[in-house]
Amino acid sequence: MPKIRRTRKKAPEGYELIEETLNELTIKMKEAENESHEGKRKVESLWPVFKIHHQRSRYIFDLFYKRKAISRELYDWCMREGIADPNLIAKWKKQGYENLCCLRCIQTRDTNFGTTCVCRVPKSKLEEGKVVECVHCGCRGCCG
Amino acid sequence: MTLSLGNNKYNRQNWEDSDFPILCPTCLGDNPYIRMMKDKYGKECSICERPFTTFRWCPGRGMRYKKTEICQTCAKMKNVCQTCVFDLEYGLPVAVRDHALGLKDDIPTGDFNKEHFHQNLGKELALQGDDLREAHSAPNAFLERISAGRKGPYYKRNLPHICSFWVKGECRRGEECPYRHEKPSDPDDPLSVQNIVDRFYGTKDPVADKLLRRAEEMPSMAPPEDKTITTLWCGGVTSALTETDLQEYFYQFGEVACINIVQKNSCAFVQFTKRESAEHAANKCYGRLDLKGVRLNVRWGKPQQSGAKHHADVEKTTPVPGLPGPLPNPGKVTQYDPSKRAKLAESVPKPMSEPIDLPTMGAMGAPRAPSEFAGPDKGGNSGFQKIHYPSQSKDRMGSGKYSHMAPPSQYNNANQGQKRPGQKRAASDWN
């Protein structure tokens, strides 16, 4: 079903091309939101939400910056509508943060000792460490 | 309105506040760098149930995060670590330490009595200052011995707990599960039922019971009544340890008369010239001693066996009649004469250069009956009539195992006359 339109104007041209994928992602997001919590940890139920959010923003970001398939206008319109996350994309433009999973994982105020999340540690430095799924978004390593 | 625990001042007299926890080195872990979290009034003490400052840290790679379980007042009362509730000096359970030192605390365990006691205790301790239970000046030998059993810190205590989901077969986390995927300890084992309150008060502690039982069964260190015994027995002597090593260690207690190592039984006997030196040595290292990486079990030597004889170890078997006695010792060995040996190959090892004086035993030919012999001591023919082993009988050849495959009788009859038990066959007997 159509999302709530935040801006008054209609979508700019080129929206029809991306509309389909975006609708699919919206449906996926709704499913993730309504999933049952059975068999999952308390934090684990939130992971798909973060994942799809990342995926959606990634899609717009890739289209504009990497493939240059949409116009600036459409890109800005998506940001304003809330389809892509401007804060997250701002981090992706920085060196070292290109694959950042979510904004919670770099928030040092959220940790006990004022550090970043464990998923930001490069695998080489993790030393034999087994698979880590970060508690915020279930990420298994988003650096490098 | 006052949401923070630290801000609300009502009814906070009994709440404990501290800057740093009282912990034992094992709980802190192997890493000298630790990041510790402090939580004011984080939890209530497991013993007195009053809020106290909890501390939380990671004791090493792969370990679970540990936190203080009992408050400082309770810990100071018993002089134990705040997490593991083991004694700070010896690392032993409260019950064991109290038994050894003869301490008896009548701390109320009931509801209101307990609250009242702990309330007042807090104030008393604050007045006394940092008095952590009179440090006993003389390190208790008994406790030292028991705690010497542990070679190094026991970090297994800090491991993560068993994954209860995995035990049921339901662990979804798989690789990234931080809990241990191992079999839990046997529920019938008394050691698996432990309770922090019981351990603190010293009642119903299965670990303490086990330690005390083991200590009782250890042979007592008391010097033997016989004052002439000056020997210590050391068990667990491997080939790595030489007499010089033992000498080097034991001479600090006094002059060592002699040292005997019996490799066969992996033991050694260290004999001192003076009884006091032996006692001093026993005080220092009775029970357990580590020399050059070898763990030795030190006890008092048993009388009459300072290493010279080892009869106790030799099983006394029934002597076989009909066998000749032990061979007599060879006569005097003359000095090595290289000229006579010049023709021999070089690989032949040289005999000892010193002549060996051995007691000669007369005629070399006559076999003698051994001294344990109950039978007639005539030697010679008497041995032939007693048949101990079936193979000694004249009408048989060999051990009897293959007697059903006896060779044709012509061979049997031919050899009968020549058979003599215990005598060597002449070369001509064999075809």
Side-chain angles (χ1 to χ4, degrees), chain A residues 38-41 44 47 112-113 115 126-133 140, chain B residues 34-38 56-58 61-62 65 172-173 175-179:
Chain A
E38 294 306 323
K40 288 196 213 156
R41 294 152 58 189
E44 204 181 328
W47 293 351
N112 278 325
F113 297 111
T115 60
L126 212 43
E127 276 191 41
E128 61 77 19
K130 32 185 195 160
V131 197
V132 278
E133 276 181 332
R140 283 156 191 255
Chain B
I34 305 178
R35 295 185 303 193
M36 208 183 264
M37 286 171 261
K38 173 176 160 180
R56 195 169 170 262
W57 69 98
C58 183
R61 190 191 287 271
Y65 269 78
R172 304 276 183 85
R173 298 175 74 171
E175 269 294 306
E176 66 108 11
C177 185
Y179 301 104

Side-chain angles (χ1 to χ4, degrees), chain A:
Chain A
M1 54 205 84
K3 261 173 98 162
I4 301 170
R5 283 278 171 264
R6 310 271 172 207
T7 57
R8 225 186 148 261
K9 291 188 213 149
K10 287 217 181 92
E13 325 81 39
Y15 178 67
E16 305 80 35
L17 304 163
I18 61 170
E19 185 178 1
E20 215 179 292
T21 330
L22 287 179
N23 282 341
E24 269 174 36
L25 285 172
T26 325
I27 293 166
K28 231 169 116 177
M29 180 66 105
K30 285 234 163 39
E31 276 171 33
E33 284 169 10
N34 294 327
E35 254 171 357
S36 147
H37 64 279
E38 294 306 323
K40 288 196 213 156
R41 294 152 58 189
K42 202 161 98 175
V43 289
E44 204 181 328
S45 353
L46 290 176
W47 293 351
V49 175
F50 280 97
K51 187 161 175 223
I52 295 164
H53 179 83
H54 173 110
Q55 221 175 354
R56 216 166 30 189
S57 301
R58 195 87 213 174
Y59 181 59
I60 305 289
F61 176 78
D62 276 349
L63 281 176
F64 184 66
Y65 284 101
K66 301 281 189 278
R67 290 165 18 187
K68 309 212 196 291
I70 59 176
S71 62
R72 175 116 219 155
E73 207 192 327
L74 180 55
Y75 174 70
D76 286 341
W77 183 85
C78 289
M79 300 277 236
R80 267 176 279 133
E81 285 291 302
I83 301 170
D85 184 356
N87 294 319
L88 186 56
I89 292 176
K91 292 285 182 278
W92 285 339
K93 293 188 209 163
K94 292 191 181 188
Q95 196 200 33
Y97 294 86
E98 284 94 352
N99 287 330
L100 183 63
C101 55
C102 64
L103 290 167
R104 282 176 79 184
C105 294
I106 45 173
Q107 182 61 273
T108 58
R109 275 180 269 238
D110 279 357
T111 47
N112 278 325
F113 297 111
T115 60
T116 50
C117 181
V118 69
C119 64
R120 289 301 296 164
V121 178
K123 289 244 186 342
S124 55
K125 294 278 191 277
L126 212 43
E127 276 191 41
E128 61 77 19
K130 32 185 195 160
V131 197
V132 278
E133 276 181 332
C134 92
V135 72
H136 301 297
C137 54
C139 166
R140 283 156 191 255
C142 52
C143 75

Side-chain angles (χ1 to χ4, degrees), chain B residues 378-386 420 423:
Chain B
K378 294 168 195 167
N381 284 334
S382 62
F384 296 165
Q385 280 149 17
K386 287 203 174 109
R420 288 271 184 275
Q423 276 190 344

Side-chain angles (χ1 to χ4, degrees), chain B residues 406-417:
Chain B
S409 49
Q410 56 170 14
Y411 293 109
N412 248 341
N413 292 333
N415 280 334
Q416 255 180 10

